[in-house]
Each structure stands twice: as structure tokens, then as C-alpha cells.
Amino acid sequence: MTNVLISDTSTCWVISDGAAGNERQALALADAMAMTARIWRLQLRAPWSWFAPRLTWGATLALPAELRETLRAPWPQIAIGCGRHAALALRVLRERSAGKTFCVQILDPRIAPRHFDLVITPQHDQLVGRNVLTSLGALNPIDDAWLNDAARKFDHLRALPTPRTAIVIGASNRAQTLDRDYFDALLVRLSAVHQRDGGSFLVSTSRRTPSDIAVYLRKMFVQFPGVFWASAADGENPYAGFLAHATRIVVTPDSVNMLSEACASGKPVLTFVRQPLRGKLASLHANLRAAGYLQDLEAGTTILPAPAEPLRETAGIAAKVLRAWRGAQSSSDDAKK
């Protein structure tokens, strides 16, 4: 386990399995609540890792030694977990603290919501319950202040030709295959848009993008004006600057987090789906399209304006979490009288 201690006076723990997307959601929520956070990144031991968060017998032993030693008073006021491994840790923490820590689980834990104080899930998880809060997309830190900071930090991007089209690239998953054929088809559409509109491309791969695909993409985009970023070898990650300076954003269809963050930018967001989507990802795409946040990228695409209100749900969710936490505190204080 890797621990990142932000403050020794933490009132909030953020627990994740180390997956960047999961941790980003939990940190965004903590930040929106103005909570100082201690981050725990953990990998559970077997057999608990196989059955998390269902297998609770002896579950304390599944946790790394440093976290086990920290499971004592003074307890954090709030703990936020994201992902199945974090959900098991939250169950242990809630039991050991006798409810003194308010435990918030992000994403469907695949067990009854009653095992947590609050569960926050996107609509496409289709989870319901008295203590369930739902969002359209993934929680993220993007708001006007975030974008303004990014615009200033990466001000050099302003010199690139407009319209500036950010291209945010993920990787294959069970719902969509992003191979060379996919990117060849994507390039046909982007070339047609560039021929019509001109401008430049701001291209960013993710840590999930296979290295051979990143190399292939770099060769594809060298013919256009713009910037290509794939790793630290290209300098500091300009992803935030890309979202801030983009005129419009094209996102591959595979990532809930990337789609949600693009829609939070207030720019038109487009995607190219080569194969029919399935399952929860298909539901997310349908919900985003119905709300006007997502458009299809085709050769003759007329790019529509973004909705007047960007998809920014984190602050509203944070306010609801704080109300629920304070309500739980009040109930606890009343019970002691």
C-alpha cells in the first residue's frame, strides 16, 4: 500500500484501490466539502480481494498493517471510498468506529446500501435506496475556478489555431474496442472536420492507452497543427489546459470519467462509437445524449452548442453529503442526552 498523508489533522479519509478514476472522484468530493483528506491507496489480500466487499469475516487482516494500526480513536469524521476494495475497508471502519465515522461509498458496492451511511452512484448503476444519491456522470473537480487556473497555467495553448479540438483518448474495454481500425475510422472523421473548419488538435492519451496505440496515434496526428501528449516524456501533462483552451472536445466512448469531465467543461462534447455499446456504458451515453451533453462525431457533423449549464454535479452532491452527515451528528448527540 502507498499512503499519501496530506495532513496529520485529517478529519476525512479517502480510500481507493489506487485506480486514478476512483481516487479522483473521492478526492473531488472531499475537496467540494472543504475537508482535509488523508489518502489511503490499498490492495486487499486474498481471499478478501476476490469477494470484496461481501466477505467480512476477518476482514481487518485483509488491510495493510499501517492501516490496521490506524483503526482506532480518534476516528476520522468522514471516510469516502470508491470501488469494491474501498467498500470493504469502509465496512471495517464503520464497524470498528461504532458508527463514529460517517462512511460514504462512491459507485455501486454490489451489496445493500444499508452497509454504508451514504452511497453515491451514477444513474446507469440503477441503484436505489433511502441513503442513495445519484448523479448523471462521475464526480470530478471541474468548475470555473479549475478551468481558469488551467487556462493560466497552460496559457501557451492559446497561440494554437482555432477552433481548438481536444482529443481525449482512453483504451479498449468490454463495451468498445479501440484498436487501429477504430482510430483509422476516427481519423477519417476528424480529417473531414479539420478540412471544413481548420484549427488545431490537442491530443491526450491516458495511462490506460497501450503504448503501441499511443505511438500509432502520434504518427497519425503529426499532419495536423497542435499538441500531442502521451507521457512525461512529452513534458507536464496538459490535460487540464486542453479542456480549458478547447473550443470543442472529442472523447473516446470508453470512460465514464473522461466523458463526465468533458461535459463539465461547458464545451461541446462529441464521441465516435464504432460498435454498438452495451450495458451501463450504453445507458450513460443515452443519458448524456438525452440531456444534450453528448453528440456523435461524423464526417458531416454540425457541432451544436453545449447546454447552457455544464454537467457539474459534485458541489450539489457534496452539499447533500454534508447535510446528511450533520443530521447524523445531531441524531447521535440527541441520543446521548
Side-chain angles (χ1 to χ4, degrees):
M1 180 190 67
T2 302
N3 299 316
V4 180
L5 182 59
I6 297 178
S7 169
D8 287 324
T9 59
S10 300
T11 56
C12 174
W13 284 3
V14 162
I15 307 172
S16 80
D17 55 7
N22 287 349
E23 187 171 303
R24 188 170 175 83
Q25 291 199 63
L27 280 174
L29 179 59
D31 187 61
M33 294 191 297
M35 302 289 289
T36 301
R38 180 173 184 170
I39 305 173
W40 294 96
R41 301 185 184 112
L42 56 90
Q43 294 293 326
L44 299 180
R45 301 173 180 176
W48 296 277
S49 60
W50 303 336
F51 302 106
R54 297 180 181 279
L55 180 60
T56 57
W57 181 84
T60 302
L61 298 175
L63 306 176
E66 188 175 353
L67 181 53
R68 292 201 304 270
E69 293 167 3
T70 312
L71 289 175
R72 60 178 182 272
W75 301 101
Q77 293 170 301
I78 293 180
I80 304 169
C82 191
R84 290 191 307 110
H85 287 196
L88 180 60
L90 286 181
R91 292 190 69 182
V92 172
L93 177 58
R94 193 168 186 239
E95 179 180 349
R96 291 288 293 271
S97 72
K100 292 182 176 66
T101 296
F102 191 81
C103 293
V104 181
Q105 168 66 19
I106 300 174
L107 299 183
D108 185 357
R110 303 179 191 178
I111 56 174
R114 62 181 171 79
H115 294 291
F116 310 90
D117 292 294
L118 279 180
V119 178
I120 302 168
T121 65
Q123 293 175 11
H124 58 262
D125 273 351
Q126 298 182 335
L127 186 68
V128 295
R130 284 191 308 112
N131 63 332
V132 175
L133 303 177
T134 58
S135 60
L136 177 53
L139 303 184
N140 61 75
I142 298 174
D143 57 18
D144 286 342
W146 188 93
L147 291 167
N148 290 338
D149 287 345
R152 286 191 294 269
K153 183 174 183 180
F154 297 96
D155 188 63
H156 63 281
L157 296 174
R158 198 184 305 274
L160 290 169
T162 58
R164 291 182 287 266
T165 303
I167 312 293
V168 184
I169 295 165
S172 296
N173 57 20
R174 287 179 293 179
Q176 191 78 176
T177 300
L178 305 188
D179 54 14
R180 290 195 179 192
D181 288 342
Y182 172 89
F183 288 111
D184 286 342
L186 176 63
L187 184 62
V188 169
R189 287 154 177 78
L190 292 174
S191 297
V193 170
H194 187 268
Q195 184 174 7
R196 182 189 67 195
D197 298 341
S200 55
F201 291 125
L202 315 177
V203 186
S204 175
T205 64
S206 74
R207 66 182 66 187
R208 297 182 299 111
T209 309
S211 57
D212 62 317
I213 291 294
V215 169
Y216 185 61
L217 290 170
R218 190 186 297 273
K219 293 178 180 177
M220 286 172 54
F221 280 99
V222 74
Q223 62 186 293
F224 303 109
V227 177
F228 189 98
W229 189 91
S231 71
D234 295 317
E236 185 177 5
N237 188 341
Y239 170 73
F242 285 3
L243 295 190
H245 286 287
T247 309
R248 62 273 185 112
I249 303 170
V250 175
V251 188
T252 55
D254 53 291
S255 170
V256 175
N257 284 59
M258 293 192 316
L259 286 163
S260 301
E261 293 187 3
C263 293
S265 72
K267 316 292 176 64
V269 179
L270 302 96
T271 193
F272 168 54
V273 178
R274 190 162 180 261
Q275 303 164 324
L277 291 167
R278 296 175 294 171
K280 294 180 178 180
L281 194 59
S283 297
L284 171 67
H285 278 247
N287 292 341
L288 291 175
R289 285 189 173 88
Y293 290 111
L294 188 62
Q295 307 173 41
D296 288 314
L297 175 68
E298 294 297 339
T301 295
T302 297
I303 300 175
L304 302 175
E309 292 295 327
L311 181 63
R312 297 177 184 171
E313 304 174 278
T314 308
I317 293 289
K320 292 177 181 179
V321 173
L322 285 172
R323 282 197 296 270
W325 170 51
R326 288 165 182 155
Q329 285 183 310
S330 296
S331 298
S332 178
D333 292 341
D334 290 343
K336 293 175 183 177
K337 294 178 182 179

